[in-house]
Amino acid sequence: MRILLTGSSGWLGRFLAPMLRNRGDTVVGLDVAPGADTQLIGSVADRALVDRIFGEHGIEAVVHAGALHKPDIARYSAQAFVDVNVTGTLNLLEAARAAGNDRFVFTSTTSLMISQAIRDEHAGEAVWLDEASAPIEPRNIYGVTKLAAEQLCRLAWAESGMGCVVLRTSRFFPEEDDTHRALSGENMKANELLHRRLTVEDAARAHVAALDRVPEIGFGTFIVSAPTPFAREDCVELKRDAASVIARYFPDASKLYAAKGWELPGSIGRIYDARLAERVLGFRCETGFAAVLDALRRSDTLPFAHDPHYVSPKEVEGAA
């Protein structure tokens, strides 16, 4: 297939583009910043550019991974988020529909499911989140625009039958968390693989799986996250004493963490359930918390990327 990949210079794009090429697809990369897998420089908000790309490159499918993200809130206006995340998605959907495409994969985020109340963790138990969780009340412009773009994908399928799959990915960024610094970045990422993270490699693999299944699914929204070891019945205790729950599932976790100078979470406030993607997409993340413990036992390289100095290519290049 001839696939238009937006966000091709970004963290996900640099892993996804080679996966698609290695299986025989032709990847046309579009980004506002240069990159190894980016052939076209420009914004999805530019409708004339989007139409020209479809006309000149014979695009047969779209993986729309380009966006302004949550850390960009400090640097870009709300209007910029609407232009890129909403109008840009609409531009791509309309161009894909006009070209007769039947495969559109949209990279969304579990962040849009987190209301201010969930983020503040006032509940007496961990919040179990799956695709049926409601109400959806995004707490910032990033979440609002991602939810609007999801709905545009749903509408495109309802009106034209063009297959669209939405992937709500949990965290896979390599840099430090921009709001929590109580633990080291590696310690936090390891903990998050229990309930709210996946590796960038797994994120890329999920997009490949979605691309293959779009025509038979039609439309679907899926959480993509490392499989949690926990059950709903653990939610009360996870909020009160997460380390004790973890010890039941992983008896040597505390000892391994202590040797590393790490801390297990004392409380877990929310958990992403990715089982629908496993049942419908046939996709399950390859790397989870057990892989972290295996690496600690062997004193091996950790199974996830951590780069405290990572900067988005669009900021390095000064592109808007």
Side-chain angles (χ1 to χ4, degrees):
M1 285 184 292
R2 296 187 64 81
I3 300 169
L4 174 61
L5 172 61
T6 71
S8 50
S9 298
W11 182 239
L12 174 61
R14 70 181 64 179
F15 288 85
L16 180 52
M19 283 189 190
L20 293 170
R21 280 201 314 271
N22 289 342
R23 70 183 207 143
D25 293 315
T26 298
V27 180
V28 179
L30 170 65
D31 204 297
V32 295
D37 296 293
T38 296
Q39 293 80 42
L40 303 166
I41 304 296
S43 171
V44 293
D46 183 343
R47 180 58 187 267
L49 172 63
V50 170
D51 288 342
R52 187 164 65 251
I53 290 169
F54 274 81
E56 294 178 356
H57 294 271
I59 301 301
E60 298 172 297
V62 177
V63 177
H64 181 25
L68 288 180
H69 297 282
K70 189 258 183 183
D72 293 318
I73 292 173
R75 298 184 288 269
Y76 293 86
S77 68
Q79 185 63 58
F81 273 83
V82 172
D83 292 344
V84 174
N85 293 358
V86 183
T87 303
T89 302
L90 179 61
N91 289 342
L92 291 165
L93 286 166
E94 291 186 339
R97 180 165 54 186
N101 289 185
D102 65 347
R103 299 167 197 254
F104 193 103
V105 177
F106 175 61
T107 311
S108 190
T109 172
T110 52
S111 176
L112 65 80
M113 304 173 68
I114 308 305
S115 65
Q116 192 61 47
I118 292 175
R119 186 178 187 276
D120 291 343
E121 298 189 4
H122 292 319
E125 61 184 58
V127 179
W128 191 273
L129 293 164
D130 60 21
E131 292 79 0
S133 297
I136 302 295
E137 299 175 340
R139 69 186 185 278
N140 54 40
I141 190 64
Y142 172 52
V144 167
T145 54
K146 280 295 194 177
L147 181 58
E150 285 191 4
Q151 291 300 304
L152 289 173
C153 292
R154 181 195 59 78
L155 189 62
W157 167 75
E159 291 183 342
S160 70
M162 183 174 70
C164 296
V165 165
V166 172
L167 299 181
R168 288 180 180 170
T169 60
S170 63
R171 294 174 161 211
F172 59 85
F173 56 79
E175 66 266 36
E176 301 283 358
D177 189 294
D178 63 347
T179 55
H180 301 286
R181 298 293 176 89
L183 301 176
S184 72
E186 288 184 334
N187 189 167
M188 180 170 286
K189 287 179 171 64
N191 289 355
E192 288 175 344
L193 280 171
L194 285 161
H195 64 112
R196 59 180 296 193
R197 176 169 284 275
L198 74 164
T199 66
V200 66
E201 294 87 352
D202 276 333
R205 283 188 282 266
H207 284 72
V208 175
L211 193 64
D212 288 341
R213 299 296 295 275
V214 171
E216 64 188 87
I217 291 171
F219 177 79
T221 300
F222 303 93
I223 290 172
V224 183
S225 192
T228 181
F230 306 129
R232 285 180 181 265
E233 294 74 23
D234 297 322
C235 284
V236 172
E237 191 176 359
L238 281 168
K239 184 63 183 296
R240 184 178 63 246
D241 185 6
S244 294
V245 183
I246 295 166
R248 291 204 301 270
Y249 288 94
F250 305 101
D252 63 343
S254 179
K255 179 179 178 181
L256 291 167
Y257 262 50
K260 183 74 171 175
W262 284 0
E263 298 178 22
L264 289 168
S267 175
I268 289 176
R270 60 184 182 264
I271 299 161
Y272 296 127
D273 180 352
R275 288 177 296 177
L276 184 65
E278 187 170 352
R279 293 195 301 270
V280 178
L281 289 179
F283 174 79
R284 178 183 174 90
C285 289
E286 295 180 9
T287 301
F289 185 71
V292 173
L293 299 185
D294 285 342
L296 295 180
R297 291 186 192 100
R298 300 191 305 266
S299 299
D300 204 351
T301 303
L302 293 169
F304 55 81
H306 175 66
D307 180 2
H309 305 296
Y310 176 82
V311 177
S312 169
K314 73 179 188 307
E315 303 307 321
V316 172
E317 298 297 328

